[in-house]
Amino acid sequence: MARSANLDFFAAEADQRAVLDFLFSSTDVRVFESYSEFDAQLREFRTTEEVAITFPLGADPHGNGHAVLLQLWSPSVMHELSIERFALDPAHCDGHTFRHRIDGGGLMQLYLGGVCDRVVTMSHFGHQSQVRAQKWNVDQGVNWEALKTLSNRIQYHIRKRLAAGKVPGRPVLAQALELARAGYALKLATQTPWQFELQQ
């Protein structure tokens, strides 16, 4: 069944580890940080533990749903791995002059929220549609059927195998569900004035 190019979900640490474990063990994706640190190379992660050492899996210190920003590149979707260096204005970046990022219309994004105080912020998996990529002229070199197939597999795993509950339009993974039942709010971000209600 065809799915949207985007899936929002709620996940705590064990849930996020389960998503990453699936990506590393059962797909051909390679996992990169979205942007390198200042004046540094872009980091690739080869295991869930490597991600966990670098980022606070399951925690969202700023409460904005963007505690961990990852890019997923698949050789079955894109033949070329393109990492570009871009310049920074040192006057506005504490003297730093460059960063790196991965580039391409067939990349997938995994943005992880997590726990901040007594809130679980939303996580996100997604990618561009072919129509949108064509509009922005970044559709070259992408196997769109392969991207659709891989995206459907990842979304199915999150929705059907890892989810233990749901709120309207969004699955809630097992540990996040435990927290919600213990009184934690499920929100887009901590500052969001409303919260999602669990569906029975």
Side-chain angles (χ1 to χ4, degrees):
M1 178 173 132
R3 295 220 175 261
S4 163
N6 296 285
L7 172 64
D8 296 326
F9 59 98
F10 288 95
E13 180 180 1
D15 308 318
Q16 295 176 7
R17 284 177 175 272
V19 172
L20 289 165
D21 285 346
F22 175 75
L23 294 176
F24 286 119
S25 68
S26 302
T27 77
D28 68 348
V29 302
R30 292 170 59 181
V31 179
F32 296 84
E33 60 187 346
S34 288
Y35 293 91
S36 73
E37 296 185 320
F38 293 122
D39 301 335
Q41 299 297 313
L42 193 75
R43 291 175 291 191
E44 178 178 3
F45 307 103
R46 292 175 171 81
T47 66
T48 299
E49 282 308 312
E50 286 188 7
V51 180
I53 289 169
T54 306
F55 297 108
L57 283 184
D60 186 2
H62 300 293
N64 59 13
H66 293 92
V68 183
L69 303 179
L70 302 173
Q71 297 288 331
L72 313 178
W73 177 85
S74 163
S76 62
V77 173
M78 298 176 66
H79 296 305
E80 292 190 9
L81 174 61
S82 175
I83 296 174
E84 66 173 16
R85 171 173 164 157
F86 61 97
L88 301 173
D89 183 348
H92 295 94
C93 300
D94 294 326
H96 299 293
T97 59
F98 71 90
R99 294 175 83 180
H100 286 88
R101 65 186 169 205
I102 190 170
D103 191 35
L107 293 170
M108 293 162 281
Q109 291 74 46
L110 181 62
Y111 299 157
L112 300 176
V115 176
C116 182
D117 297 325
R118 289 185 62 81
V119 173
V120 182
T121 61
M122 196 168 67
S123 295
H124 169 83
F125 166 80
H127 53 85
Q128 296 211 68
S129 68
Q130 185 173 5
V131 171
R132 182 175 175 83
Q134 288 172 339
K135 179 180 178 181
W136 292 98
N137 198 31
V138 292
D139 60 311
Q140 302 88 352
V142 178
N143 183 332
W144 293 100
E145 283 304 312
L147 176 58
K148 185 187 301 183
T149 298
L150 180 55
S151 173
N152 285 348
R153 280 187 61 215
I154 294 169
Q155 292 193 47
Y156 181 88
H157 190 76
I158 295 171
R159 288 178 186 274
K160 301 298 185 182
R161 296 198 177 107
L162 299 181
K166 61 182 178 179
V167 296
R170 295 163 174 84
V172 181
L173 279 57
Q175 189 182 20
L177 180 62
E178 289 179 12
L179 293 173
R181 286 175 172 165
Y184 284 64
L186 302 177
K187 292 187 170 187
L188 300 177
T190 53
Q191 62 269 32
T192 305
W194 51 273
Q195 67 186 65
F196 290 92
E197 297 298 330
L198 288 171
Q199 294 180 325
Q200 301 301 316

